[in-house]
Amino acid sequence: LARLHSHPIGCLTLADDAEDPEITWPRAARTALVGALDRHLRADGLKPGALDLWAGGAELVDPPCLDERRRTLESAPEVTVIIGTRDRSDRLDACLKTLLALDYPAFDVLVVDNDPTTSDTAELVAARGAATGKIAYLREDRRGLGAAHNCGLAAASGTIVAFTDDDDAVDRYLLSELVAPF
């Protein structure tokens, strides 16, 4: 995932065996993402093509493109993130770690355990929830993702509800970018 000023601008695959990654990776990124890079730079009042990709585009300390995110975070509505899962506590744990790293001040997470065969998910959520106060556990015995989502919706306290899968690694700006259009 290529970012500029923390905003995703595209995806690309880079060779991890490159001889000079400091040279080849920025060149490959610039070639693959030139249109998106230039549009973003122009919108921020910068000259296209004048960016040091290896440094991450940090020339601007306070780029204008982050104004909307700042406004969103100043009046951040509460968001409930719902995860439907079934017997995949190892994957869920990795997902929860990324959710707890979100750059958003007002959210909670509801984990809906869908017709579980073990107590692993309940135990994981109890441990993570007790440590953070942001994660709650629900059990839904009707099998199916729709049933899990409906169970979560009925318990959600957020003004806005977001869904993610138990095997997702969410981007730390997911909620600020999701909430901004609202």
Side-chain angles (χ1 to χ4, degrees):
L1 177 63
R3 300 175 187 266
L4 183 53
H5 304 133
S6 76
H7 292 285
I9 58 167
C11 292
L12 66 150
T13 303
L14 300 170
D16 63 357
D17 61 351
E19 270 188 46
D20 295 314
E22 299 86 8
I23 296 168
T24 58
W25 288 356
R27 187 177 297 144
R30 179 86 183 131
T31 300
L33 304 169
V34 65
L37 284 167
D38 288 350
R39 279 188 299 280
H40 185 102
L41 291 172
R42 279 190 200 96
D44 270 350
L46 296 172
K47 180 181 171 188
L51 181 66
D52 179 359
L53 289 170
W54 193 248
E59 311 63 36
L60 287 179
V61 174
D62 196 17
C65 62
L66 295 180
D67 289 346
E68 185 175 11
R69 183 179 298 149
R70 280 189 285 276
R71 284 190 301 275
T72 298
L73 295 176
E74 285 171 5
S75 60
E78 183 75 27
V79 176
T80 296
V81 179
I82 298 172
I83 307 170
T85 189
R86 183 169 192 269
D87 296 335
R88 295 178 7 151
S89 59
D90 56 333
R91 291 180 179 179
L92 175 64
D93 190 32
C95 176
L96 291 174
K97 288 177 185 173
T98 64
L99 284 167
L100 292 173
L102 284 170
D103 185 22
Y104 192 82
F107 73 96
D108 64 321
V109 178
L110 292 178
V111 174
V112 183
D113 203 0
N114 191 231
D115 193 27
T117 61
T118 71
S119 62
D120 293 351
T121 298
E123 292 166 11
L124 169 67
V125 172
R128 288 251 182 243
T132 66
K134 286 192 172 283
I135 305 170
Y137 176 85
L138 298 170
R139 181 183 172 118
E140 173 54 62
D141 290 325
R142 289 175 298 145
R143 190 176 289 186
L145 189 56
H149 284 177
N150 288 336
C151 176
L153 280 171
S157 60
T159 305
I160 297 172
V161 175
F163 296 92
T164 192
D165 290 333
D166 59 5
D167 59 351
D168 282 348
V170 300
D171 183 84
R172 72 183 223 192
Y173 301 110
L174 171 73
L175 293 183
S176 58
E177 294 300 314
L178 179 77
V179 168
F182 291 98

